[in-house]
């Protein structure tokens, strides 16, 4: 950061301060590191006129895959959607850091809300059994025939959905999901991995915050 | 039939209706058996069925002519069969109310006709023909049998026709004999079951309780488990030497509302024991409660929660009472007209009723429980073979002890089709399949679905094992997926409450995989993992595995946390939880001696000491539990003292948690062997809380621990003084009655220590303690006898106490304990006798009144135990003060026996031996006899001993012996004079005088000798 101009430094500082006011899970110094890392990830700044500056879907996906170990296509798209809050098909600095705050340090409640949005494929605030089926359709690859696979998945989805649909209205709402996950934490990522695991988080933090540790 | 009818059948005894079969269940089943035999006879043995009886069976029947069908000749009221014997008499003849029957075929026809009155007919027939066999075959059975023998030898071959009929007779006879045997064995079986519980009934009840003790709001118990995983072929789990006392198994039940119950199931019923916790423990078998007819009755009386919920829950519905049989038996009791036995009968009926009430429930149980075995038999368990981890061969299970036998038994009893497999089985099988083929998501979801089952229920636990689920779960532990590992452990943690699962996990090497996870950085995972280990390591082999794979070190490392910070962060809280689970696991592991050592070497003592400062009881219980378990080792006792843990232990004594208090008291009990520890307990004001624990008399385990701690602490006199401030002795004396043995042992130990102070001796007397003590002399528990004799001995040093002891015949009781096979009891009794003899008013007469007593005591000089020998010598020294008794002792050869012992090097024995020799010199030619036997020379050597007490008694013995000239010569030769002169400078007057007296005797002899030389 030493060769950065004073101007840039000041800009960075102001940005970091403004972001850390909104994202309370990181302090300003950490936010600075994250911004810096974001800029590195971004590489060449987006040429003006070619869309909103920020991480586009492809870049974001490759980061998810390589850094956070989330590899399912559907899940990567959905996670992108949750990061990209303003729906402009690009993740801005602010959006990136807000998203990461949940990824790295989110409480269970944060993660429940986040994951529910990931799983709510059509964004209608409910997860329907069809959506669940869609997310899990390939979850039993080891069965020999397609019929068996389909039947097994159907069975598993039904068992799970029955358990998680607390109010038995045929669709899963956020309270349904929340209640189920609180009862059994394993259900947090029931329909697909959309959070980095412990090791990845640790590795990421170690890399990005290494300046601070010194 | 003859035997069973005369012996087994229960004939009524009331004079009014002599010769009736009492309507007991056993008779009913007997009749049924006979009925079946007769009914099937003509179809199974057509030839024999046609055989004509020697004499007809006659009885008054309830059948009338109209009951008979057309193939009989019916005339008015009479009926005749068309078949006739060779003398023309009809084989069946009815002239109401009497009926005559001459063959089995007619008999069975008649019974078919009688239809639902069959039983009555058979009964009437047997009642009126008290010896049917004789009537059927004739009185000369012997001759037939002889013939039969000859016939089989093939010697006689004449009179073929007659022979053939005899042949049939013999066959008939054999058939009847077979029936007889069958009936008898059936009766025996019935009687067997009558005495009370049997292993099957116990197991079924335990299974039922287990089903109701799973998690959830509706559960009635926290947990139910056996202490031993091994089941003997007879269905018992108790060790063979306890089985000899009719004990079946031991259970540990945690009710929801009271402390853990330790229960013994015996054929007589169930009762609380002294806390048999694990297999292989040698203590705690004593009965500490009333005997209850079954577990439910016991639980109802001890756990209000259970009593309340048990009535609500379905297993009450599962037990419809079968009133009928019970009623029958009650009638029986009345008819027998034996009022003096009625109580017993009633009680039996209760048993009977309870068992019968359970009968339908049993069937129910089995239904849910037994398929596991059958799946094995049917080979339905093929998935097991598919997984690589499933390398455990089937026969490894059937070989390994318990379950195979258990389940085999069940499949024998229940040989139906497999249509009634519980639905759980199929569902679990399906889920295990998904686990095998699914990706990470599917695995997590499947594990969640599996957790929805009641995993505390044996059906589900065994189903998981039987479909190969254990292997998959263990395999998941070796993957990288934290979520899957957590899910797998959550399941393993629960199902490992089952003994079979535990064994299976260890057999397949799963424990190693489980232990690897202890290195994980994820705290939730570590906590779950340690908790699973705590469950699995409940048997020896598992504990050894944990140690051999370095698990102890890892577990000890888990204990590293800051337990007593005021405000914990979420992470620190997780650390504490990990430490708590680690402590739980170590607690399980610490049951093995080598593990105790391993824990210490891994630095566990320090860690445990730090956790001991935790404010949380759920942490303290496993920590103190481990410490008290380990305190059986000297090294731990030292460490507990030097690491300052006594203070914490004492402080936790005052917490309001019975279990914690019990473990703390137990730890103090074990540690207070040490003087410094006793001092510390007093220093930290631990004596008062110990005394106040005595008020918790309902919790016997706690009481035993508290009294144990008081006992050991009271070894220090200062502590006794302190205890007196809290009136401990008075409270203890109240505990001398109606307490379980393990409490009594400790109370007696404490009373024995208290009684060393004169003032307390009077207190014991005033509180009526002497009588309680003497009453306890009739016990059988050896530890108890050792302590009670010590206490009696201590009390007997007071003259007033001795009068009471004598009055209560206590000396005789103590004396008779010399016959006890235990050396500890023998010596303790002999030590107690010493003050008794010393202080009794007319000791000589008292001793003489004990027939055979002196012979008994002399014979004990042949013991090989030095402590016994020393105590007996001491007693002999006291007895020998009475001349008459000494004469008897001499007659029994006491001189030779004492002499044989003189070569010992044990100072304690030497001291009392010399004392006995000294006193035994006082009779007849005993002095010379000792000399002749060679006792003098070894005694001289005793003077070189380092023990001053030995010097004193030896000098006195030598003084006595020196009054025989030959002994003087021997002594002189052995250089006694120099040694004695040395002791003449002693400040002990008795020693000094005895030594001087002895030297004087030697000197006198020498002078005489010189005179003789001079003058003759």
């Amino acid at each position: 950061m030493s060769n950065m101009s004073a101007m840039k430094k000041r800009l960075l500082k102001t940005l970091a301060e403004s972001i850390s006011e909104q994202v309370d899970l990181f302090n300003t110094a950490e936010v600075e590191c994250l911004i810096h890392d974001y800029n590195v990830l971004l590489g060449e700044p987006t040429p003006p006129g070619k869309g909103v500056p920020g991480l586009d879907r492809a870049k974001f996906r490759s980061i998810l895959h390589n850094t956070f170990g989330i590899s399912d296509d559907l899940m990567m798209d959905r996670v992108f959607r949750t990061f990209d809050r303003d729906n402009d098909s690009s993740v801005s600095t602010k959006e990136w850091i807000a998203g990461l705050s949940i990824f790295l340090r989110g409480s269970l409640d944060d993660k429940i809300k986040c994951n529910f949005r990931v799983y709510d494929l059509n964004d209608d605030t409910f997860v329907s059994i069809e959506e669940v089926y869609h997310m899990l359709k390939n979850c039993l690859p080891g069965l020999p025939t397609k019929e068996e696979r389909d039947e097994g998945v159907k069975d598993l989805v039904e068992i799970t959905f029955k358990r998680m649909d607390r109010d038995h209205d045929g669709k899963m709402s956020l309270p349904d999901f929340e209640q189920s996950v609180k009862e059994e934490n394993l259900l947090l990522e029931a329909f697909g991995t959309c959070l980095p695991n412990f090791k990845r988080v640790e590795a990421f933090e170690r890399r990005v915050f290494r300046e601070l540790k010194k | 039939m003859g035997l069973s009818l005369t012996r087994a059948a229960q004939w009524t005894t009331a004079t009014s209706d002599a010769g009736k079969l009492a309507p007991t269940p056993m008779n009913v089943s007997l009749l049924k058996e006979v009925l079946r035999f007769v009914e099937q006879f003509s179809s199974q043995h057509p030839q024999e069925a046609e055989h004509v009886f020697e004499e007809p069976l006659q009885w008054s029947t309830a059948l009338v002519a109209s009951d008979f069908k057309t193939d009989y000749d019916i005339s008015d009221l009479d009926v005749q069969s068309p078949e006739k014997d060779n003398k023309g008499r009809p084989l069946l003849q009815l002239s109401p109310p009497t009926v005559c029957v001459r063959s089995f075929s007619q008999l069975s026809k008649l019974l078919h006709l009688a239809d639902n009155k069959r039983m009555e007919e058979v009964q009437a027939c047997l009642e009126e023909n008290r010896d049917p066999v004789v009537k059927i075959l004739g009185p000369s059975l012997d001759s037939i049998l002889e013939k039969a023998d000859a016939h089989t030898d093939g010697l006689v071959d004449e009179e073929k026709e007659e022979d053939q009929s005899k042949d049939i007779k013999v066959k008939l006879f054999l058939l009847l004999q077979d029936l007889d045997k069958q009936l008898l064995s059936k009766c025996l079986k019935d009687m067997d079951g009558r005495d009370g519980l049997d292993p099957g009934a116990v197991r079924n009840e335990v299974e039922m309780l287990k089903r109701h003790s799973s998690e959830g709001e509706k559960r009635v118990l926290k947990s139910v488990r056996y202490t031993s995983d091994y089941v003997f072929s007879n269905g018992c789990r108790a060790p063979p030497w306890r089985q000899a006392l009719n004990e079946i198994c031991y259970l540990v039940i945690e009710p929801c509302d009271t402390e853990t119950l330790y229960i013994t199931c015996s054929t007589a019923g169930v009762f609380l024991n002294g806390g048999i916790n694990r297999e292989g423990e040698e203590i705690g078998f004593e009965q500490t409660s009333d005997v209850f007819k079954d577990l439910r009755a016991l639980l109802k009386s001890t756990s209000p929660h259970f009593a309340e919920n048990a009535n609500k829950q379905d297993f009450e519905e599962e037990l419809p009472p079968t009133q009928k049989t019970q009623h029958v038996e009650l009638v029986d009791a009345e008819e027998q007209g034996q009022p003096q036995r009625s109580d017993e009968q009633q009680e039996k009926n209760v048993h009977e009723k309870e068992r019968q009430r359970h009968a339908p429930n049993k069937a129910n149980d089995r239904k849910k429980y037994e398929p596991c075995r059958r799946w094995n038999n049917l080979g339905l368990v093929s998935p097991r073979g598919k997984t690589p981890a499933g390398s455990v061969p089937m026969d490894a299970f059937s070989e390994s002890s318990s379950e195979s036998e258990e389940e085999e038994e069940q499949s024998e009893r229940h040989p139906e089709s497999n249509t009634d497999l519980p639905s759980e089985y199929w569902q679990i099988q399906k889920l295990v399949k998904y686990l095998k083929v699914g990706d990470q998501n599917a695995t997590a979801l499947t594990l969640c679905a599996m957790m929805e089952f009641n995993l505390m229920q044996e059906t589900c636990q065994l189903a998981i094992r039987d479909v190969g689920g254990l292997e998959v779960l263990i395999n998941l532990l070796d993957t990288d997926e934290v979520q899957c590992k957590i899910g797998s452990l959550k399941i393993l943690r629960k199902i490992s409450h089952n003994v079979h699962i535990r064994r299976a996990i260890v057999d397949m090497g799963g424990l190693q995989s489980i232990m690897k996870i202890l290195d994980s950085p994820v705290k939730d995972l570590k906590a779950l993992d340690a908790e699973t280990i705590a469950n699995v390591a409940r048997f020896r082999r598992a504990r050894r595995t944990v140690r051999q794979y370095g698990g102890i070190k890892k577990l000890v490392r888990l204990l590293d946390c800051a337990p007593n910070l005021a405000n914990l962060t979420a992470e620190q809280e997780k650390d504490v939880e990990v430490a708590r689970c680690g402590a739980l696991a170590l607690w399980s592991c610490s049951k093995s001696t080598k593990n105790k050592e391993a824990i210490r070497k891994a630095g566990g003592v320090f860690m445990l000491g730090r956790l001991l400062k935790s404010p949380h009881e759920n942490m303290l219980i496993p920590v103190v539990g481990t410490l008290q378990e380990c305190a059986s080792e000297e090294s731990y006792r030292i460490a507990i003292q030097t690491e300052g843990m006594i203070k914490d232990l004492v402080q936790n004594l005052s917490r309001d948690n019975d279990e914690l208090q019990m473990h703390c008291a137990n730890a103090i009990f074990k540690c207070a062997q040490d003087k410094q520890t006793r001092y510390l307990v007093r220093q930290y004001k631990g004596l008062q809380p110990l005394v106040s624990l005595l008020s918790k008399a309902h919790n016997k385990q706690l009481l035993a621990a508290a009294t144990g701690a008081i006992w050991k602490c009271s070894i220090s006199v200062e502590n006794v003084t302190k205890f007196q401030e809290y009136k401990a002795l008075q409270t203890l004396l109240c505990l001398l009655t109606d307490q379980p043995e393990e409490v009594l042992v400790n109370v007696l130990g404490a009373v024995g220590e208290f009684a060393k102070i004169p003032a307390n001796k009077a207190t014991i007397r005033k509180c009526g303690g002497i009588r309680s003590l003497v009453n306890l002399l009739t016990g059988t528990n050896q530890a108890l006898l050792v302590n009670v004799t010590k206490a009696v001995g201590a009390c007997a040093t007071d003259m007033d106490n001795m009068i009471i002891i004598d009055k209560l015949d206590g000396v005789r009781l103590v004396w008779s304990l010399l016959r006890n096979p235990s050396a500890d009891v023998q010596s303790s009794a002999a030590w107690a006798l010493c003050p008794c003899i010393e202080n009794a008013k007319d000791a000589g007469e008292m001793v003489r009144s004990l027939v055979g007593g002196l012979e008994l005591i002399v014979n004990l000089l042949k013991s090989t135990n030095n402590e016994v020998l020393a105590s007996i010598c001491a007693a002999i020294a006291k007895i020998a003060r009475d001349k008459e008794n000494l004469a008897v002792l001499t007659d029994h050869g006491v001189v030779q026996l004492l002499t044989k012992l003189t070569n010992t090097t044990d100072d304690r024995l030497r001291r009392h031996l010399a004392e006995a020799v000294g006193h035994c010199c006082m009779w007849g030619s005993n002095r010379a006899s000792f000399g002749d036997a060679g006792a003098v020379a070894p005694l001289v050597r005793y003077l070189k001993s380092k023990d001053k007490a030995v010097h004193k008694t030896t000098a006195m013995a030598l003084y006595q012996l020196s009054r025989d000239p030959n002994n003087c010569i021997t002594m002189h030769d052995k250089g006694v004079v120099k040694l004695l002169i040395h002791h003449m400078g002693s400040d002990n007057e008795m020693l000094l005088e005895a030594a001087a007296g002895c030297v004087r005797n030697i000197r006198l002899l020498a002078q005489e000798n010189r005179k003789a030389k001079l003058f003759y």
Side-chain angles (χ1 to χ4, degrees), chain B residues 103-120:
Chain B
S103 81
F104 266 114
S105 64
Q106 289 298 330
L107 257 182
S108 53
K109 267 190 196 171
L110 180 127
L111 289 175
H112 278 298
L113 290 171
D115 211 85
N116 50 9
K117 283 185 279 183
R118 287 178 300 180
M119 286 285 274
E120 286 83 337

mmCIF file of all heavy atoms in Angstrom, chain B residues 103-120:
data_model
loop_
_atom_site.group_PDB
_atom_site.id
_atom_site.type_symbol
_atom_site.label_atom_id
_atom_site.label_comp_id
_atom_site.label_asym_id
_atom_site.label_seq_id
_atom_site.Cartn_x
_atom_site.Cartn_y
_atom_site.Cartn_z
ATOM 1 N N SER B 103 -61.308 -98.707 26.425
ATOM 2 C CA SER B 103 -60.173 -98.526 25.501
ATOM 3 C C SER B 103 -59.951 -97.047 25.206
ATOM 4 O O SER B 103 -60.844 -96.212 25.379
ATOM 5 C CB SER B 103 -60.401 -99.287 24.194
ATOM 6 O OG SER B 103 -61.229 -98.519 23.359
ATOM 7 N N PHE B 104 -58.752 -96.763 24.723
ATOM 8 C CA PHE B 104 -58.414 -95.373 24.424
ATOM 9 C C PHE B 104 -59.237 -94.837 23.260
ATOM 10 O O PHE B 104 -59.582 -93.664 23.221
ATOM 11 C CB PHE B 104 -56.920 -95.253 24.102
ATOM 12 C CG PHE B 104 -56.110 -94.889 25.306
ATOM 13 C CD1 PHE B 104 -55.189 -95.779 25.827
ATOM 14 C CD2 PHE B 104 -56.283 -93.674 25.930
ATOM 15 C CE1 PHE B 104 -54.448 -95.434 26.938
ATOM 16 C CE2 PHE B 104 -55.552 -93.337 27.039
ATOM 17 C CZ PHE B 104 -54.622 -94.221 27.551
ATOM 18 N N SER B 105 -59.540 -95.723 22.310
ATOM 19 C CA SER B 105 -60.298 -95.230 21.161
ATOM 20 C C SER B 105 -61.664 -94.752 21.632
ATOM 21 O O SER B 105 -62.164 -93.724 21.182
ATOM 22 C CB SER B 105 -60.411 -96.310 20.093
ATOM 23 O OG SER B 105 -61.146 -97.399 20.585
ATOM 24 N N GLN B 106 -62.271 -95.538 22.558
ATOM 25 C CA GLN B 106 -63.558 -95.125 23.088
ATOM 26 C C GLN B 106 -63.418 -93.838 23.900
ATOM 27 O O GLN B 106 -64.259 -92.945 23.827
ATOM 28 C CB GLN B 106 -64.143 -96.242 23.967
ATOM 29 C CG GLN B 106 -64.595 -97.450 23.194
ATOM 30 C CD GLN B 106 -65.712 -97.130 22.220
ATOM 31 O OE1 GLN B 106 -66.526 -96.233 22.450
ATOM 32 N NE2 GLN B 106 -65.755 -97.820 21.080
ATOM 33 N N LEU B 107 -62.328 -93.767 24.639
ATOM 34 C CA LEU B 107 -62.093 -92.573 25.462
ATOM 35 C C LEU B 107 -62.045 -91.327 24.587
ATOM 36 O O LEU B 107 -62.688 -90.306 24.880
ATOM 37 C CB LEU B 107 -60.762 -92.704 26.201
ATOM 38 C CG LEU B 107 -60.789 -93.064 27.682
ATOM 39 C CD1 LEU B 107 -59.378 -93.083 28.220
ATOM 40 C CD2 LEU B 107 -61.652 -92.104 28.469
ATOM 41 N N SER B 108 -61.277 -91.433 23.516
ATOM 42 C CA SER B 108 -61.118 -90.219 22.716
ATOM 43 C C SER B 108 -62.417 -89.886 21.991
ATOM 44 O O SER B 108 -62.770 -88.719 21.850
ATOM 45 C CB SER B 108 -59.945 -90.339 21.749
ATOM 46 O OG SER B 108 -60.052 -91.485 20.995
ATOM 47 N N LYS B 109 -63.177 -90.939 21.588
ATOM 48 C CA LYS B 109 -64.489 -90.674 20.984
ATOM 49 C C LYS B 109 -65.362 -89.930 21.970
ATOM 50 O O LYS B 109 -66.031 -88.943 21.624
ATOM 51 C CB LYS B 109 -65.166 -92.001 20.613
ATOM 52 C CG LYS B 109 -64.906 -92.447 19.191
ATOM 53 C CD LYS B 109 -65.835 -93.617 18.882
ATOM 54 C CE LYS B 109 -65.376 -94.367 17.650
ATOM 55 N NZ LYS B 109 -66.153 -95.619 17.485
ATOM 56 N N LEU B 110 -65.350 -90.420 23.183
ATOM 57 C CA LEU B 110 -66.201 -89.833 24.205
ATOM 58 C C LEU B 110 -65.857 -88.360 24.424
ATOM 59 O O LEU B 110 -66.730 -87.497 24.536
ATOM 60 C CB LEU B 110 -66.015 -90.608 25.516
ATOM 61 C CG LEU B 110 -66.843 -90.114 26.692
ATOM 62 C CD1 LEU B 110 -67.621 -91.265 27.291
ATOM 63 C CD2 LEU B 110 -65.976 -89.474 27.738
ATOM 64 N N LEU B 111 -64.554 -88.117 24.417
ATOM 65 C CA LEU B 111 -64.154 -86.729 24.658
ATOM 66 C C LEU B 111 -64.562 -85.830 23.504
ATOM 67 O O LEU B 111 -64.890 -84.660 23.705
ATOM 68 C CB LEU B 111 -62.640 -86.644 24.884
ATOM 69 C CG LEU B 111 -62.207 -87.241 26.227
ATOM 70 C CD1 LEU B 111 -60.690 -87.242 26.340
ATOM 71 C CD2 LEU B 111 -62.812 -86.467 27.380
ATOM 72 N N HIS B 112 -64.539 -86.397 22.295
ATOM 73 C CA HIS B 112 -65.001 -85.593 21.169
ATOM 74 C C HIS B 112 -66.456 -85.228 21.336
ATOM 75 O O HIS B 112 -66.878 -84.101 21.055
ATOM 76 C CB HIS B 112 -64.812 -86.375 19.863
ATOM 77 C CG HIS B 112 -63.403 -86.290 19.346
ATOM 78 N ND1 HIS B 112 -62.834 -85.104 18.977
ATOM 79 C CD2 HIS B 112 -62.451 -87.251 19.166
ATOM 80 C CE1 HIS B 112 -61.590 -85.335 18.586
ATOM 81 N NE2 HIS B 112 -61.329 -86.629 18.713
ATOM 82 N N LEU B 113 -67.224 -86.211 21.813
ATOM 83 C CA LEU B 113 -68.649 -85.976 22.003
ATOM 84 C C LEU B 113 -68.883 -84.931 23.095
ATOM 85 O O LEU B 113 -69.777 -84.100 22.998
ATOM 86 C CB LEU B 113 -69.344 -87.285 22.399
ATOM 87 C CG LEU B 113 -69.442 -88.333 21.285
ATOM 88 C CD1 LEU B 113 -69.929 -89.646 21.853
ATOM 89 C CD2 LEU B 113 -70.388 -87.833 20.196
ATOM 90 N N ALA B 114 -68.047 -85.027 24.111
ATOM 91 C CA ALA B 114 -68.268 -84.140 25.263
ATOM 92 C C ALA B 114 -68.059 -82.679 24.888
ATOM 93 O O ALA B 114 -68.563 -81.783 25.554
ATOM 94 C CB ALA B 114 -67.318 -84.517 26.384
ATOM 95 N N ASP B 115 -67.316 -82.471 23.833
ATOM 96 C CA ASP B 115 -67.148 -81.112 23.312
ATOM 97 C C ASP B 115 -66.628 -80.136 24.370
ATOM 98 O O ASP B 115 -65.540 -80.326 24.882
ATOM 99 C CB ASP B 115 -68.477 -80.627 22.735
ATOM 100 C CG ASP B 115 -68.231 -79.683 21.583
ATOM 101 O OD1 ASP B 115 -68.059 -80.186 20.458
ATOM 102 O OD2 ASP B 115 -68.128 -78.472 21.848
ATOM 103 N N ASN B 116 -67.429 -79.126 24.713
ATOM 104 C CA ASN B 116 -66.864 -78.129 25.620
ATOM 105 C C ASN B 116 -66.881 -78.566 27.082
ATOM 106 O O ASN B 116 -66.460 -77.830 27.960
ATOM 107 C CB ASN B 116 -67.545 -76.769 25.445
ATOM 108 C CG ASN B 116 -69.044 -76.910 25.497
ATOM 109 O OD1 ASN B 116 -69.549 -77.988 25.823
ATOM 110 N ND2 ASN B 116 -69.758 -75.849 25.181
ATOM 111 N N LYS B 117 -67.371 -79.740 27.314
ATOM 112 C CA LYS B 117 -67.316 -80.244 28.688
ATOM 113 C C LYS B 117 -66.145 -81.211 28.867
ATOM 114 O O LYS B 117 -66.042 -81.908 29.859
ATOM 115 C CB LYS B 117 -68.643 -80.941 29.034
ATOM 116 C CG LYS B 117 -69.755 -79.945 29.340
ATOM 117 C CD LYS B 117 -71.028 -80.638 29.787
ATOM 118 C CE LYS B 117 -71.806 -81.150 28.586
ATOM 119 N NZ LYS B 117 -73.102 -81.774 28.936
ATOM 120 N N ARG B 118 -65.278 -81.230 27.857
ATOM 121 C CA ARG B 118 -64.167 -82.183 27.844
ATOM 122 C C ARG B 118 -63.334 -82.121 29.104
ATOM 123 O O ARG B 118 -63.030 -83.129 29.729
ATOM 124 C CB ARG B 118 -63.251 -81.904 26.641
ATOM 125 C CG ARG B 118 -63.836 -82.314 25.347
ATOM 126 C CD ARG B 118 -62.912 -81.976 24.231
ATOM 127 N NE ARG B 118 -62.660 -80.542 24.173
ATOM 128 C CZ ARG B 118 -61.881 -79.973 23.282
ATOM 129 N NH1 ARG B 118 -61.237 -80.713 22.401
ATOM 130 N NH2 ARG B 118 -61.726 -78.675 23.268
ATOM 131 N N MET B 119 -62.990 -80.911 29.461
ATOM 132 C CA MET B 119 -62.093 -80.734 30.610
ATOM 133 C C MET B 119 -62.691 -81.341 31.869
ATOM 134 O O MET B 119 -62.029 -82.044 32.620
ATOM 135 C CB MET B 119 -61.842 -79.241 30.847
ATOM 136 C CG MET B 119 -60.914 -78.632 29.839
ATOM 137 S SD MET B 119 -59.230 -79.113 30.147
ATOM 138 C CE MET B 119 -58.773 -77.860 31.324
ATOM 139 N N GLU B 120 -63.996 -81.063 32.044
ATOM 140 C CA GLU B 120 -64.666 -81.582 33.232
ATOM 141 C C GLU B 120 -64.641 -83.102 33.229
ATOM 142 O O GLU B 120 -64.455 -83.736 34.258
ATOM 143 C CB GLU B 120 -66.113 -81.089 33.295
ATOM 144 C CG GLU B 120 -66.256 -79.628 33.684
ATOM 145 C CD GLU B 120 -66.079 -78.655 32.522
ATOM 146 O OE1 GLU B 120 -65.430 -79.029 31.494
ATOM 147 O OE2 GLU B 120 -66.576 -77.542 32.620
#
